[in-house]
Amino acid sequence: MKRILLLGTGGTIACKRTDKGLKPVITSDEILSYVPDSRSYCEIHSIQLMNIDSTNIQPCHWLAVEKAIEENYGQYDGFVITHGTDTMAYTAAALSYLIQHSPKPIIITGAQKPIDMENTDARTNLADSLLFASCPGAHDVNLVFDGKVIAGTRGKKEWTKSYHAFSSINYPYVAIIQDGQIIFYLDDKDRDKKPVCFYRQMDGDVGLMKLIPSMDASLLDYMAEHYDAVIIESFGVGGLPSYQDGDYHGAIARWTGLGKTVIMTTQVTNEGSDMSVYEVGRSIKQEFGLLEAYDMTLEAVVTKIMWILGQTKDPVRIRRMFYETVNRDILWKWSEN
């Protein structure tokens, strides 16, 4: 029988109603009492790491989860983390970088409604996660929700209330779970079986700028005073405007002149960026050697650069590490070779 460790962090799955709204107060031990049948196929222990709304999640919390898994890694066959849905995709991506090449499954799950409600998705999601964490073919960090298994770097919350809240972006589902059966869509028999690697540092000084028509480039100068890296969410396949009253070229020159990192991505959810298509993207990328996210999710880009900057500030190493595939996070990188 597999030994599974449940790590409680809070979120809607652990909420109860209060006069001020839903608040996470249900403990991980209490949560397990709602899925008694799971103990027929796995032995479950739990640790309550925190009990917070996922809106309050920060890199320090991701590092706390990593530490708990690393300290208990030899004692368990799999791990399940209960978490709020609002930042779950960020946590799944962050753990994908903090814990790499894990032969044991690390599953993040949660719910759109608290587990103690009569009509809720929480019990199904938790039972599915425990089942997948007990599966011999499961490995690495994955998000399990609404019967879907999503690679930790590919998940995105696309619905605020519906039970089918999460999608896998620019990548197939790893597996689906139906009626207690796991159906794998991806065959990983030939994957590179490197030893598990844990990382204990992240740099949270990463900013995001979402372009809108007429936005002044001076915002980038302000951000350069406060952040080590900036991610620019551009329009379509990617580019930067050249307004008469806004000097994006100069702002990017100042960023790169400071030795700081600029990453271009797109506001469009599917199909990724390609700055080589239009002059507004190609010229500035070539001149300054900007990093480009291609088919990566925003959540993966944010947490990957936080992880990279926690290991190095060297621009050459940053570029190399950014384009190395980690837990299926990037496929389209041919133009960087």
Side-chain angles (χ1 to χ4, degrees):
M1 184 175 286
K2 297 283 188 176
R3 286 170 52 85
I4 307 299
L5 180 63
L6 178 76
L7 300 173
T9 69
T12 299
I13 192 171
C15 278
K16 284 185 177 292
R17 295 187 183 279
T18 72
D19 293 339
K20 297 181 179 181
L22 291 173
K23 181 178 180 179
V25 295
I26 302 174
T27 67
S28 53
D29 280 339
E30 291 177 283
I31 284 175
L32 284 174
S33 69
Y34 289 92
V35 287
D37 292 346
S38 297
R39 295 188 184 276
S40 65
Y41 54 80
C42 62
E43 178 186 341
I44 315 168
H45 300 266
S46 69
I47 297 175
Q48 188 72 48
L49 288 179
M50 59 201 82
N51 217 347
I52 63 175
D53 191 297
S54 72
T55 297
N56 294 319
I57 287 286
Q58 300 178 66
C60 62
H61 300 116
W62 299 330
L63 293 171
V65 176
E66 180 280 327
K67 182 180 179 182
I69 293 174
E70 183 177 5
E71 289 177 345
N72 291 278
Y73 197 79
Q75 304 171 46
Y76 293 92
D77 302 300
F79 303 85
V80 173
I81 301 131
T82 52
H83 194 287
T85 59
D86 288 347
T87 57
M88 186 186 297
Y90 285 97
T91 297
L95 292 177
S96 295
Y97 299 116
L98 292 172
I99 308 171
Q100 297 184 27
H101 315 299
S102 174
K104 300 178 181 182
I106 299 166
I107 310 303
I108 298 95
T109 195
Q112 295 285 64
K113 293 184 179 179
I115 200 166
D116 67 347
M117 293 183 66
E118 181 177 354
N119 295 315
T120 176
D121 56 333
R123 292 187 285 275
T124 297
N125 288 344
L126 181 56
D128 284 349
S129 297
L130 291 167
L131 180 66
F132 193 73
S134 305
C135 176
H139 58 83
D140 285 320
V141 178
N142 290 282
L143 190 157
V144 171
F145 211 93
D146 190 40
K148 305 175 184 71
V149 181
I150 302 170
T153 60
R154 292 292 182 170
K156 182 179 285 291
K157 186 176 181 181
E158 294 198 303
W159 288 269
T160 58
K161 299 177 181 179
S162 301
Y163 287 169
H164 57 281
F166 288 86
S167 299
S168 182
I169 305 302
N170 295 324
Y171 202 83
Y173 293 116
V174 174
I176 60 170
I177 304 171
Q178 292 182 342
D179 300 324
Q181 300 294 317
I182 300 171
I183 303 169
F184 279 91
Y185 285 166
L186 300 177
D187 183 359
D188 287 337
K189 292 179 181 178
D190 297 326
R191 71 186 181 95
D192 188 4
K193 297 180 181 179
K194 298 178 181 178
V196 63
C197 186
F198 296 94
Y199 294 87
R200 306 174 187 89
Q201 291 181 313
M202 297 188 87
D203 180 352
D205 291 332
V206 173
L208 171 69
M209 189 174 86
K210 188 184 187 79
L211 287 184
I212 61 171
S214 82
M215 179 175 284
D216 196 297
S218 62
L219 179 58
L220 275 174
D221 292 322
Y222 171 82
M223 296 177 75
E225 299 175 9
H226 300 275
Y227 298 105
D228 295 325
V230 65
I231 300 158
I232 301 176
E233 267 196 331
S234 186
F235 311 115
V237 291
L240 284 171
S242 53
Y243 305 134
Q244 291 182 350
D245 57 349
D247 184 11
Y248 278 89
H249 184 279
I252 295 296
R254 287 186 285 275
W255 263 89
T256 55
L258 292 169
K260 297 191 175 188
T261 303
V262 179
I263 303 171
M264 297 296 300
T265 186
T266 173
Q267 298 174 22
V268 183
T269 300
N270 291 292
E271 299 184 335
S273 66
D274 183 359
M275 293 181 69
S276 67
V277 174
Y278 296 102
E279 188 273 338
V280 292
R282 179 183 296 186
S283 59
I284 200 163
K285 179 183 177 181
Q286 289 179 343
E287 181 174 353
F288 295 108
L290 304 183
L291 295 178
E292 184 173 358
Y294 294 121
D295 59 295
M296 294 176 69
T297 66
L298 174 64
E299 293 84 353
V301 174
V302 169
T303 54
K304 189 171 193 176
I305 197 61
M306 286 181 176
W307 162 67
I308 292 171
L309 292 175
Q311 319 311 313
T312 183
K313 296 297 192 293
D314 176 60
V316 175
R317 286 192 63 200
I318 290 171
R319 174 173 292 273
R320 177 178 57 79
M321 293 174 72
F322 187 78
Y323 288 115
E324 288 178 348
T325 301
V326 178
N327 194 20
R328 318 168 195 269
D329 65 348
I330 184 168
L331 298 176
W332 189 18
K333 55 181 179 179
W334 53 267
S335 63
E336 299 301 325
N337 294 331

